[in-house]
Amino acid sequence: MKLGFLTACLPGWSLPRIAEWASGNGYEALEVAVWPRTGGRDFEASHLPVADFPAARAEETLALFAKHDLELSALAYYENHLHPDPERRAEIRTHFKHAVDAAAALGVPYVGTFIGRDWTKPVADNLREAERVFPELVDYAGERGVKVIIENCVMEGWHPDGYPGNLAYSPELWEWMFSLDLYLNWDPSHLTWIGIDPVKTIAPYIDRIVHAQAKDVELGSGDIDRYGFFGKAVDRPDPWDNGWWRYRVPGLGQVDWARVVDRLYEHGFTGTLSVEHEDPVWGGTEEKVAQGLKIAHRTLRPLVIG
């Protein structure tokens, strides 16, 4: 197992700067963000220009990672493949294929993304649509030696009422998506706040957990007794603010990392545990983000033997 992090938390840093910092601070791998530079979400990061990725760029990138003794664990493009706007959906599909092409050129085994959801339609209709959309993407990736990995993030901010916007948040939905030959980028933080014990989900699905993200969650940081499980309903100007929990870096929330890592080892996980930094306390400036990554490393390094 290797300890890495997702580069999206440092959108203003270049990939060479991130690689140097990661290596110098004890990380062994990077999950590289590859959103296009003209994206729509404020946390999008573009650390590899996959839409324009000649052979020389691939050689340069591989040399950078070799120089710093780092592994490139996955490319990250987490977008909504079931977006209700057909033009936006087509843009996402095209860029996802660029990411797959770049992964193939680099010898990277995984490209991470979301199932997503058309929030104007019920779940059943979305599942049938995904069964139409994803086989082409899985085949495209498979022909190039790349697996498609899906993060189990709820993406409640994508839904106008704060309901799940990514239909991959529970083991029931994992079993459905595995039938499409998709794999899992497993993240315990999302499971924790929706009431699922993350440790109990490792053994049954370990054959599909090929990459894992390390993010923590602090429950009780707001008022669940006022808002209820689904969060704010009357006044929710920020769709991501549900009013009763927040993400934290590993070690500052409720996830039991000793149990998580031990269970991953027990069942033979040999992939990358990649810190996903979305902690509002250790965010806002590059200096604070870097400190948050150091806190995560201090929590996880004694557990991840390598």
Side-chain angles (χ1 to χ4, degrees):
M1 195 186 307
K2 286 185 167 56
L3 181 59
F5 67 85
L6 172 59
T7 66
C9 59
L10 291 166
W13 286 19
S14 68
L15 187 57
R17 183 180 179 187
I18 292 173
E20 182 178 10
W21 187 94
S23 179
N25 285 274
Y27 281 98
E28 302 162 304
L30 291 175
E31 180 184 2
V32 176
V34 297
W35 276 268
R37 292 195 179 276
T38 55
R41 304 210 303 266
D42 59 5
F43 59 82
E44 288 173 354
S46 181
H47 289 126
L48 279 178
V50 296
D52 180 18
F53 203 72
R57 173 79 70 168
E59 292 172 5
E60 176 185 296
T61 302
L62 292 172
L64 172 68
F65 275 72
K67 174 184 177 181
H68 294 291
D69 195 24
L70 290 170
E71 180 175 305
L72 208 172
S73 66
L75 300 186
Y77 179 54
Y78 292 95
E79 274 294 354
N80 185 357
H81 289 274
L82 302 181
H83 199 288
D85 180 346
E87 291 187 6
R88 179 64 184 135
R89 191 190 291 193
E91 291 172 354
I92 291 167
R93 181 175 63 250
T94 297
H95 192 76
F96 176 80
K97 289 182 176 180
H98 289 323
V100 168
D101 291 340
L106 292 164
V108 175
Y110 311 118
V111 173
T113 193
F114 291 136
I115 297 291
R117 178 179 184 169
D118 178 345
W119 55 83
T120 70
K121 296 179 181 179
V123 170
D125 290 353
N126 273 273
L127 299 186
R128 302 295 82 77
E129 180 66 4
E131 289 165 3
R132 186 188 69 81
V133 168
F134 272 89
E136 178 205 356
L137 301 179
V138 170
D139 288 348
Y140 186 90
E143 289 165 0
R144 290 156 179 79
V146 176
K147 289 183 171 65
V148 182
I149 57 173
I150 305 293
E151 185 191 346
N152 56 288
C153 184
V154 181
M155 293 304 291
E156 67 286 349
W158 276 352
H159 193 287
D161 295 318
Y163 303 142
N166 173 39
L167 298 178
Y169 57 84
S170 67
E172 176 190 25
L173 288 162
W174 301 350
E175 292 165 5
W176 160 78
M177 73 181 194
F178 294 158
S179 71
L180 303 178
D181 207 21
L182 296 163
Y183 290 79
L184 189 61
N185 193 5
W186 180 87
D187 185 327
S189 65
H190 309 298
L191 295 165
T192 300
W193 80 260
I194 64 173
I196 296 173
D197 181 349
V199 174
K200 291 182 179 178
T201 70
I202 295 172
Y205 303 106
I206 193 64
D207 62 330
R208 288 279 164 168
I209 300 174
V210 295
H211 198 275
Q213 288 188 330
K215 184 161 74 257
D216 217 326
V217 62
E218 181 184 1
L219 308 181
S221 62
D223 191 357
I224 192 173
D225 293 323
R226 180 182 184 201
Y227 299 117
F229 179 83
F230 298 106
K232 294 180 178 181
V234 176
D235 184 17
R236 192 169 178 160
D238 179 352
W240 302 103
D241 178 14
N242 61 53
W244 68 273
W245 61 267
R246 60 185 179 177
Y247 292 127
R248 303 303 308 273
V249 292
L252 300 181
Q254 266 70 48
V255 175
D256 187 337
W257 291 102
R259 290 181 65 227
V260 163
V261 175
D262 180 64
R263 197 58 51 88
L264 286 170
Y265 271 121
E266 178 184 357
H267 294 286
F269 178 77
T270 58
T272 295
L273 183 61
S274 178
V275 174
E276 184 182 20
H277 185 342
E278 295 181 343
D279 188 325
V281 177
W282 293 103
T285 68
E286 293 173 346
E287 293 76 14
K288 290 177 74 174
V289 169
Q291 184 60 38
L293 290 169
K294 290 179 180 179
I295 294 169
H297 183 273
R298 188 164 65 238
T299 298
L300 298 171
R301 181 76 280 168
L303 306 173
V304 179
I305 301 166

